[in-house]
mmCIF file of all heavy atoms in Angstrom:
data_model
loop_
_atom_site.group_PDB
_atom_site.id
_atom_site.type_symbol
_atom_site.label_atom_id
_atom_site.label_comp_id
_atom_site.label_asym_id
_atom_site.label_seq_id
_atom_site.Cartn_x
_atom_site.Cartn_y
_atom_site.Cartn_z
ATOM 1 N N ALA A 13 -1.711 -2.995 -7.326
ATOM 2 C CA ALA A 13 -1.106 -2.645 -6.045
ATOM 3 C C ALA A 13 0.400 -2.443 -6.192
ATOM 4 O O ALA A 13 0.974 -1.490 -5.633
ATOM 5 C CB ALA A 13 -1.402 -3.730 -5.023
ATOM 6 N N ASP A 14 1.042 -3.325 -6.939
ATOM 7 C CA ASP A 14 2.484 -3.212 -7.137
ATOM 8 C C ASP A 14 2.846 -1.953 -7.912
ATOM 9 O O ASP A 14 3.843 -1.285 -7.617
ATOM 10 C CB ASP A 14 3.004 -4.451 -7.868
ATOM 11 C CG ASP A 14 4.512 -4.415 -8.066
ATOM 12 O OD1 ASP A 14 5.239 -4.464 -7.060
ATOM 13 O OD2 ASP A 14 4.966 -4.321 -9.234
ATOM 14 N N TYR A 15 2.010 -1.628 -8.901
ATOM 15 C CA TYR A 15 2.216 -0.418 -9.709
ATOM 16 C C TYR A 15 2.156 0.826 -8.822
ATOM 17 O O TYR A 15 3.019 1.718 -8.897
ATOM 18 C CB TYR A 15 1.147 -0.366 -10.797
ATOM 19 C CG TYR A 15 1.076 0.916 -11.590
ATOM 20 C CD1 TYR A 15 2.189 1.426 -12.246
ATOM 21 C CD2 TYR A 15 -0.130 1.616 -11.690
ATOM 22 C CE1 TYR A 15 2.110 2.593 -12.985
ATOM 23 C CE2 TYR A 15 -0.220 2.781 -12.420
ATOM 24 C CZ TYR A 15 0.900 3.273 -13.067
ATOM 25 O OH TYR A 15 0.816 4.419 -13.794
ATOM 26 N N ILE A 16 1.169 0.880 -7.934
ATOM 27 C CA ILE A 16 1.001 2.046 -7.074
ATOM 28 C C ILE A 16 2.113 2.116 -6.024
ATOM 29 O O ILE A 16 2.757 3.153 -5.856
ATOM 30 C CB ILE A 16 -0.375 2.014 -6.372
ATOM 31 C CG1 ILE A 16 -1.500 2.133 -7.402
ATOM 32 C CG2 ILE A 16 -0.483 3.141 -5.343
ATOM 33 C CD1 ILE A 16 -2.890 1.946 -6.812
ATOM 34 N N THR A 17 2.330 1.014 -5.325
ATOM 35 C CA THR A 17 3.294 1.036 -4.216
ATOM 36 C C THR A 17 4.726 1.267 -4.704
ATOM 37 O O THR A 17 5.468 2.046 -4.105
ATOM 38 C CB THR A 17 3.223 -0.273 -3.402
ATOM 39 O OG1 THR A 17 3.429 -1.388 -4.273
ATOM 40 C CG2 THR A 17 1.869 -0.430 -2.743
ATOM 41 N N SER A 18 5.103 0.604 -5.778
ATOM 42 C CA SER A 18 6.484 0.770 -6.275
ATOM 43 C C SER A 18 6.704 2.189 -6.792
ATOM 44 O O SER A 18 7.778 2.769 -6.596
ATOM 45 C CB SER A 18 6.784 -0.250 -7.374
ATOM 46 O OG SER A 18 5.910 -0.101 -8.477
ATOM 47 N N SER A 19 5.690 2.753 -7.437
ATOM 48 C CA SER A 19 5.821 4.115 -7.962
ATOM 49 C C SER A 19 5.892 5.134 -6.831
ATOM 50 O O SER A 19 6.668 6.096 -6.883
ATOM 51 C CB SER A 19 4.646 4.437 -8.884
ATOM 52 O OG SER A 19 4.617 3.566 -9.995
ATOM 53 N N LEU A 20 5.074 4.938 -5.787
ATOM 54 C CA LEU A 20 5.117 5.847 -4.641
ATOM 55 C C LEU A 20 6.443 5.742 -3.902
ATOM 56 O O LEU A 20 7.021 6.752 -3.481
ATOM 57 C CB LEU A 20 3.954 5.545 -3.692
ATOM 58 C CG LEU A 20 2.556 5.990 -4.138
ATOM 59 C CD1 LEU A 20 1.486 5.462 -3.195
ATOM 60 C CD2 LEU A 20 2.477 7.521 -4.208
ATOM 61 N N LYS A 21 6.922 4.518 -3.726
ATOM 62 C CA LYS A 21 8.204 4.327 -3.053
ATOM 63 C C LYS A 21 9.344 4.954 -3.851
ATOM 64 O O LYS A 21 10.290 5.488 -3.266
ATOM 65 C CB LYS A 21 8.464 2.842 -2.840
ATOM 66 C CG LYS A 21 7.588 2.223 -1.756
ATOM 67 C CD LYS A 21 7.856 0.733 -1.607
ATOM 68 C CE LYS A 21 6.994 0.116 -0.514
ATOM 69 N NZ LYS A 21 7.226 -1.347 -0.372
ATOM 70 N N ALA A 22 9.245 4.911 -5.178
ATOM 71 C CA ALA A 22 10.268 5.527 -6.023
ATOM 72 C C ALA A 22 10.319 7.043 -5.823
ATOM 73 O O ALA A 22 11.363 7.669 -6.057
ATOM 74 C CB ALA A 22 10.009 5.199 -7.493
ATOM 75 N N GLN A 23 9.193 7.611 -5.391
ATOM 76 C CA GLN A 23 9.142 9.048 -5.110
ATOM 77 C C GLN A 23 9.606 9.366 -3.689
ATOM 78 O O GLN A 23 9.658 10.527 -3.288
ATOM 79 C CB GLN A 23 7.718 9.572 -5.298
ATOM 80 C CG GLN A 23 7.249 9.601 -6.737
ATOM 81 C CD GLN A 23 5.871 10.236 -6.878
ATOM 82 O OE1 GLN A 23 5.069 10.228 -5.939
ATOM 83 N NE2 GLN A 23 5.593 10.790 -8.040
ATOM 84 N N GLY A 24 9.913 8.319 -2.927
ATOM 85 C CA GLY A 24 10.413 8.536 -1.571
ATOM 86 C C GLY A 24 9.369 8.415 -0.477
ATOM 87 O O GLY A 24 9.656 8.735 0.685
ATOM 88 N N HIS A 25 8.163 7.957 -0.832
ATOM 89 C CA HIS A 25 7.109 7.823 0.172
ATOM 90 C C HIS A 25 7.163 6.457 0.854
ATOM 91 O O HIS A 25 7.611 5.468 0.258
ATOM 92 C CB HIS A 25 5.732 8.013 -0.466
ATOM 93 C CG HIS A 25 5.588 9.300 -1.223
ATOM 94 N ND1 HIS A 25 5.739 10.526 -0.616
ATOM 95 C CD2 HIS A 25 5.333 9.555 -2.539
ATOM 96 C CE1 HIS A 25 5.569 11.485 -1.516
ATOM 97 N NE2 HIS A 25 5.328 10.914 -2.696
ATOM 98 N N ALA A 26 6.681 6.405 2.080
ATOM 99 C CA ALA A 26 6.554 5.134 2.800
ATOM 100 C C ALA A 26 5.165 4.576 2.522
ATOM 101 O O ALA A 26 4.165 5.288 2.648
ATOM 102 C CB ALA A 26 6.746 5.356 4.295
ATOM 103 N N VAL A 27 5.104 3.306 2.128
ATOM 104 C CA VAL A 27 3.822 2.722 1.694
ATOM 105 C C VAL A 27 3.576 1.393 2.393
ATOM 106 O O VAL A 27 4.459 0.529 2.451
ATOM 107 C CB VAL A 27 3.789 2.500 0.168
ATOM 108 C CG1 VAL A 27 2.401 2.028 -0.264
ATOM 109 C CG2 VAL A 27 4.181 3.770 -0.575
ATOM 110 N N ASP A 28 2.360 1.233 2.934
ATOM 111 C CA ASP A 28 1.894 -0.052 3.444
ATOM 112 C C ASP A 28 0.796 -0.551 2.515
ATOM 113 O O ASP A 28 -0.045 0.240 2.059
ATOM 114 C CB ASP A 28 1.335 0.077 4.863
ATOM 115 C CG ASP A 28 2.421 0.367 5.887
ATOM 116 O OD1 ASP A 28 3.579 0.011 5.620
ATOM 117 O OD2 ASP A 28 2.103 0.961 6.933
ATOM 118 N N HIS A 29 0.792 -1.860 2.264
ATOM 119 C CA HIS A 29 -0.213 -2.421 1.358
ATOM 120 C C HIS A 29 -0.989 -3.526 2.044
ATOM 121 O O HIS A 29 -0.430 -4.372 2.748
ATOM 122 C CB HIS A 29 0.449 -2.972 0.091
ATOM 123 C CG HIS A 29 -0.490 -3.801 -0.734
ATOM 124 N ND1 HIS A 29 -0.277 -5.158 -0.961
ATOM 125 C CD2 HIS A 29 -1.664 -3.492 -1.349
ATOM 126 C CE1 HIS A 29 -1.279 -5.616 -1.700
ATOM 127 N NE2 HIS A 29 -2.128 -4.635 -1.946
ATOM 128 N N CYS A 30 -2.313 -3.536 1.838
ATOM 129 C CA CYS A 30 -3.188 -4.619 2.290
ATOM 130 C C CYS A 30 -4.018 -5.078 1.101
ATOM 131 O O CYS A 30 -4.439 -4.255 0.275
ATOM 132 C CB CYS A 30 -4.119 -4.142 3.405
ATOM 133 S SG CYS A 30 -3.266 -3.587 4.884
ATOM 134 N N ASP A 31 -4.282 -6.384 1.018
ATOM 135 C CA ASP A 31 -5.037 -6.898 -0.132
ATOM 136 C C ASP A 31 -6.491 -7.211 0.203
ATOM 137 O O ASP A 31 -7.186 -7.840 -0.592
ATOM 138 C CB ASP A 31 -4.339 -8.129 -0.719
ATOM 139 C CG ASP A 31 -4.271 -9.280 0.282
ATOM 140 O OD1 ASP A 31 -4.800 -9.156 1.406
ATOM 141 O OD2 ASP A 31 -3.668 -10.314 -0.068
ATOM 142 N N ASN A 32 -6.943 -6.770 1.381
ATOM 143 C CA ASN A 32 -8.360 -6.967 1.726
ATOM 144 C C ASN A 32 -8.810 -5.858 2.684
ATOM 145 O O ASN A 32 -7.986 -5.229 3.370
ATOM 146 C CB ASN A 32 -8.593 -8.351 2.337
ATOM 147 C CG ASN A 32 -7.911 -8.521 3.680
ATOM 148 O OD1 ASN A 32 -8.436 -8.105 4.716
ATOM 149 N ND2 ASN A 32 -6.721 -9.125 3.669
ATOM 150 N N GLY A 33 -10.110 -5.643 2.733
ATOM 151 C CA GLY A 33 -10.650 -4.540 3.515
ATOM 152 C C GLY A 33 -10.474 -4.691 5.014
ATOM 153 O O GLY A 33 -10.245 -3.697 5.715
ATOM 154 N N LYS A 34 -10.549 -5.913 5.513
ATOM 155 C CA LYS A 34 -10.417 -6.113 6.958
ATOM 156 C C LYS A 34 -9.031 -5.742 7.454
ATOM 157 O O LYS A 34 -8.881 -5.013 8.448
ATOM 158 C CB LYS A 34 -10.731 -7.568 7.314
ATOM 159 C CG LYS A 34 -10.749 -7.822 8.814
ATOM 160 C CD LYS A 34 -11.178 -9.250 9.134
ATOM 161 C CE LYS A 34 -11.207 -9.494 10.643
ATOM 162 N NZ LYS A 34 -11.607 -10.872 10.985
ATOM 163 N N ASP A 35 -8.000 -6.213 6.755
ATOM 164 C CA ASP A 35 -6.629 -5.860 7.138
ATOM 165 C C ASP A 35 -6.375 -4.364 6.939
ATOM 166 O O ASP A 35 -5.640 -3.735 7.699
ATOM 167 C CB ASP A 35 -5.614 -6.662 6.320
ATOM 168 C CG ASP A 35 -5.558 -8.123 6.765
ATOM 169 O OD1 ASP A 35 -6.087 -8.433 7.853
ATOM 170 O OD2 ASP A 35 -4.998 -8.948 6.009
ATOM 171 N N GLY A 36 -7.010 -3.811 5.891
ATOM 172 C CA GLY A 36 -6.888 -2.369 5.657
ATOM 173 C C GLY A 36 -7.444 -1.570 6.828
ATOM 174 O O GLY A 36 -6.844 -0.586 7.267
ATOM 175 N N PHE A 37 -8.590 -2.005 7.349
ATOM 176 C CA PHE A 37 -9.201 -1.312 8.488
ATOM 177 C C PHE A 37 -8.303 -1.391 9.716
ATOM 178 O O PHE A 37 -8.093 -0.393 10.421
ATOM 179 C CB PHE A 37 -10.567 -1.924 8.776
ATOM 180 C CG PHE A 37 -11.271 -1.310 9.957
ATOM 181 C CD1 PHE A 37 -11.624 0.030 9.972
ATOM 182 C CD2 PHE A 37 -11.580 -2.084 11.065
ATOM 183 C CE1 PHE A 37 -12.268 0.603 11.057
ATOM 184 C CE2 PHE A 37 -12.236 -1.528 12.160
ATOM 185 C CZ PHE A 37 -12.572 -0.183 12.153
ATOM 186 N N LEU A 38 -7.751 -2.576 9.981
ATOM 187 C CA LEU A 38 -6.882 -2.748 11.141
ATOM 188 C C LEU A 38 -5.626 -1.893 11.029
ATOM 189 O O LEU A 38 -5.164 -1.308 12.011
ATOM 190 C CB LEU A 38 -6.510 -4.223 11.302
ATOM 191 C CG LEU A 38 -7.673 -5.167 11.646
ATOM 192 C CD1 LEU A 38 -7.198 -6.619 11.665
ATOM 193 C CD2 LEU A 38 -8.306 -4.794 12.982
ATOM 194 N N ASN A 39 -5.076 -1.804 9.814
ATOM 195 C CA ASN A 39 -3.897 -0.959 9.605
ATOM 196 C C ASN A 39 -4.231 0.514 9.796
ATOM 197 O O ASN A 39 -3.424 1.267 10.358
ATOM 198 C CB ASN A 39 -3.314 -1.184 8.207
ATOM 199 C CG ASN A 39 -2.255 -2.267 8.176
ATOM 200 O OD1 ASN A 39 -1.073 -1.983 8.261
ATOM 201 N ND2 ASN A 39 -2.692 -3.506 8.085
#
């Protein structure tokens, strides 16, 4: 997750991260 989010943010994208499916669905 850190690899993906930090790399995307380095490209200028806004990133939200969830570590479980339930929170992912709510987001």
Side-chain angles (χ1 to χ4, degrees):
D14 182 66
Y15 171 55
I16 295 173
T17 56
S18 60
S19 298
L20 286 172
K21 287 178 179 179
Q23 290 185 334
H25 306 300
V27 186
D28 290 335
H29 168 244
C30 298
D31 62 3
N32 66 82
K34 186 175 181 181
D35 287 346
F37 178 62
L38 294 175
N39 269 265

